[in-house]
């Protein structure tokens, strides 16, 4: 059994051309945006802080 989760933005073209087939579409939640889980902010590196700022700016 193969189980995979793909964001709709990435899969839309493949579904349209038949390369990818959606299974159990009625059971798949449609999420409004990306979710990012990361460790405590007090100990984050400069690289992680820069990445988080980039993601925040890109989401606007």
């Amino acid at each position: 059994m193969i189980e995979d989760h793909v964001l709709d933005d990435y899969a839309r073209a493949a579904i349209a051309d038949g390369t990818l087939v959606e299974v159990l579409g009625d059971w798949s939640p449609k999420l409004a945006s990306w979710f990012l889980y990361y460790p405590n902010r007090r100990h984050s590196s400069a690289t992680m802080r820069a990445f988080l700022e980039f993601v925040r700016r890109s989401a606007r």
Side-chain angles (χ1 to χ4, degrees), residues 2-44:
I2 297 175
E3 180 181 339
D4 203 354
H5 302 275
V6 179
L7 292 173
D8 185 57
D9 293 344
Y10 295 132
R12 191 174 298 132
I15 290 172
D17 71 14
T19 305
L20 190 63
V21 177
E22 183 176 14
V23 178
L24 299 174
D26 294 340
W27 291 84
S28 300
K30 303 298 182 204
L31 302 174
S33 64
W34 294 69
F35 293 91
L36 180 63
Y37 296 94
Y38 54 94
N40 191 325
R41 294 179 189 200
R42 287 180 285 170
H43 303 293
S44 62

